């Protein structure tokens, strides 16, 4: 009365599995029904100042923020002490990131040194409008997030850690991420 099945990452989402090595006269039917769930438990963490680009009334402005990468989110505050006592000014959810890989920002579009780019997407909300950094189309709002480190080494460290989070998210929770090729079809151009 023994059978076996080897579970793998591709098993996630399935509920019925063929048992192997089931003896011929076994009362087992040859299948086992199991519900599997997979969650990302990333331990990647980083803290430091980054300068973030914002659209302020149609003009671009850079604001220095204390940023914390924890799990699949970058949260940011004005000062490091605010992290313990205040809600963040904002968050960037990396599950919404459509960038295949976080790379330095193209200097043709952003001349600020040590800058990297994260492109995120979310469902469009009432009151959303197009800005210097956001484009809303077909029920989606796509945002370019430009973040600048103080040095090239700091930028590279942030990019390395962010790319590790993206690999973890896309490996262990692929249905939680927007797929870049599907997004491009939905918005109709290459933002």
């Amino acid at each position: 009365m023994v059978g076996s099945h080897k579970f793998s990452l591709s098993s996630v989402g399935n509920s019925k599995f063929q048992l192997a090595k089931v003896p011929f006269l076994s009362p087992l039917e040859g299948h086992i029904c199991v519900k599997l769930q997979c969650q990302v438990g990333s331990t990647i963490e980083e803290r430091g100042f980054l300068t973030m680009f914002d659209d302020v009334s149609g003009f671009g402005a850079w604001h220095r923020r204390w940023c914390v990468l924890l799990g699949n989110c970058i949260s940011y505050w004005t000062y490091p002490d605010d992290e313990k006592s205040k809600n963040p000014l904002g968050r960037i959810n990396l599950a919404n990131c459509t960038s295949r890989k976080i790379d330095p920002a193209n200097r043709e579009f952003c001349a600020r040194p040590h800058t990297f780019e994260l492109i995120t997407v979310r469902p469009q909300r009432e009151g959303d409008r197009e800005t210097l950094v956001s484009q809303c189309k077909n029920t989606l709002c796509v945002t370019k997030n430009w973040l600048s480190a103080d040095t090239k080494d700091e930028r590279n460290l942030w990019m390395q850690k962010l790319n590790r989070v993206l690999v973890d998210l896309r490996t262990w929770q692929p249905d939680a991420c927007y797929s870049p090729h599907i997004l491009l079809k939905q918005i109709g151009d290459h933002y």
Side-chain angles (χ1 to χ4, degrees), residues 19-47:
L19 288 173
K21 300 179 185 172
V22 177
F24 177 69
L25 296 174
S26 172
L28 293 176
E29 205 174 293
H31 289 89
I32 185 170
C33 293
V34 178
K35 183 177 179 182
L36 298 175
Q37 275 188 308
C38 185
Q39 291 182 327
V40 179
S42 181
T43 58
I44 298 168
E45 199 173 315
E46 185 60 35
R47 284 176 166 73

Side-chain angles (χ1 to χ4, degrees), residues 44 50 69 74 94 102 116 118 147 157-167:
I44 298 168
L50 293 172
L69 169 63
I74 300 172
L94 296 174
I102 307 304
F116 56 93
L118 285 163
L147 300 99
L157 177 66
W158 275 94
M159 288 188 324
Q160 175 191 10
K161 291 195 175 191
L162 290 166
N163 282 318
R164 283 179 40 207
V165 170
L166 290 177
V167 166

Side-chain angles (χ1 to χ4, degrees), residues 71-90:
N72 64 339
C73 243
I74 300 172
S75 301
Y76 51 93
W77 294 263
T78 305
Y79 304 107
D81 291 341
D82 293 349
E83 180 186 347
K84 295 179 181 88
S85 60
K86 296 181 180 177
N87 288 328
L89 297 171

Side-chain angles (χ1 to χ4, degrees), residues 40-59:
V40 179
S42 181
T43 58
I44 298 168
E45 199 173 315
E46 185 60 35
R47 284 176 166 73
F49 278 105
L50 293 172
T51 304
M52 304 176 77
F53 184 81
D54 288 322
D55 181 300
V56 179
S57 301
F59 296 97

Side-chain angles (χ1 to χ4, degrees), residues 132-152:
L132 294 173
V133 295
S134 294
Q135 177 183 8
C136 299
K137 199 171 190 180
N138 297 340
T139 73
L140 293 176
C141 192
V142 181
T143 303
K144 285 186 180 184
N145 301 275
W146 285 336
L147 300 99
S148 178
D150 292 339
T151 68
K152 182 179 179 180

